[in-house]
Amino acid sequence: MDSANNKDSFVLSEIVHALRENEPALSTIPANTRRAGVALILKVHREELSVLLIQRSVREDDPWSGHIAFPGGHHEESDVDLFDTVIRETQEEVGVTLSPADYVSQLPFEKPYTSDQRADLLVRPFVFVLRDMPELILNYEVSKVIWVPLERLNSGELLAHETVHFNNNEYLLPGFRLNDKQFVWGLTYRILQRFFSTIAKS
């Protein structure tokens, strides 16, 4: 693709083509490995192709409390597969009903680094494109939804290194500084970087 500073690099048809051309092969994971799925949802918002992010509610029982994330969650026994997990979790968290017609591709599994207790967890991102602006209905797990233009994320203007606190330690990590209160780091940041590197391959 062209330079990130060229808005033509975010032509939706080219993004879809690149994602499908570079979709990872199915991989076998250990039987006891816990799995989760997240939805990377794209939509033209205010004339710019944007991605939907959520801010998780501040809750003591949530290891990602207050973080900027994608809709999604853990696979449950009632789920047919991780795709089913993402459909269910997105509906529960933000009220968006995704369908197979909205689905584009998936990205490789990622491993969150938030807690040693979750070292066996793998997360699969699924990419969707919405034609219409959805009505958002947030549940108790989500405090806010943010539509962020892809151009801003990939231009470099939001890149920053900041100190974050988790696992009773402090770490200087890269991420996207959206504003004075919202910093995208960790798993969400790495998924976005993987997404941009994938669409740049075509």
Side-chain angles (χ1 to χ4, degrees):
M1 276 199 174
D2 297 331
S3 166
N5 291 323
N6 182 349
K7 288 187 185 262
D8 290 341
S9 65
F10 291 109
V11 173
L12 183 55
S13 60
E14 294 181 4
I15 289 176
V16 170
H17 175 75
L19 290 169
R20 289 176 173 166
E21 284 290 304
N22 296 285
E23 187 169 39
L26 294 177
S27 56
T28 302
I29 61 174
N32 294 328
T33 301
R34 290 184 298 166
R35 295 171 296 154
V38 297
L40 196 161
I41 300 172
L42 302 176
K43 173 74 181 73
V44 175
H45 179 63
R46 296 178 181 173
E47 301 184 352
E48 293 186 277
L49 187 58
S50 301
V51 60
L52 184 150
L53 298 175
I54 64 173
Q55 181 158 19
R56 302 192 65 80
S57 300
V58 176
R59 297 164 50 223
E60 290 186 2
D61 62 341
D62 184 359
W64 298 284
S65 174
H67 291 191
I68 306 299
F70 297 106
H74 291 83
H75 180 268
E76 297 183 356
E77 290 186 5
S78 59
D79 297 332
V80 175
D81 50 26
L82 272 181
F83 186 85
D84 196 37
T85 299
V86 169
I87 299 295
R88 174 183 57 76
E89 286 281 352
T90 302
Q91 171 64 42
E92 291 175 0
E93 291 184 346
V94 295
V96 176
T97 302
L98 298 171
S99 74
D102 303 318
Y103 172 70
V104 173
S105 184
Q106 56 188 281
L107 298 172
F109 278 107
E110 299 282 354
K111 180 178 288 189
Y113 299 147
T114 302
S115 169
D116 291 341
Q117 296 177 349
R118 294 176 178 266
D120 64 339
L121 176 64
L122 292 176
V123 179
R124 172 77 85 180
F126 294 81
V127 183
F128 298 84
V129 174
L130 299 182
R131 289 188 176 87
D132 301 315
M133 182 57 67
E135 179 182 358
L136 301 172
I137 303 173
L138 312 187
N139 76 354
Y140 68 95
E141 298 175 273
V142 179
S143 64
K144 186 176 293 186
V145 166
I146 315 142
W147 288 100
V148 184
L150 293 182
E151 183 67 28
R152 291 196 69 207
L153 289 171
N154 200 41
S155 67
E157 66 176 286
L158 302 180
L159 283 174
H161 282 75
E162 299 193 9
T163 300
V164 298
H165 304 265
F166 67 92
N167 251 11
N168 298 316
N169 287 299
E170 292 185 351
Y171 301 87
L172 182 65
L173 296 177
F176 297 114
R177 169 53 66 186
L178 303 184
N179 52 51
D180 60 350
K181 294 182 179 179
Q182 295 168 329
F183 182 60
V184 182
W185 61 279
L187 180 67
T188 304
Y189 170 75
R190 286 186 284 114
I191 290 174
L192 285 168
Q193 292 291 60
R194 174 89 71 170
F195 169 81
F196 287 124
S197 66
T198 300
I199 67 174
K201 292 178 181 179
S202 295

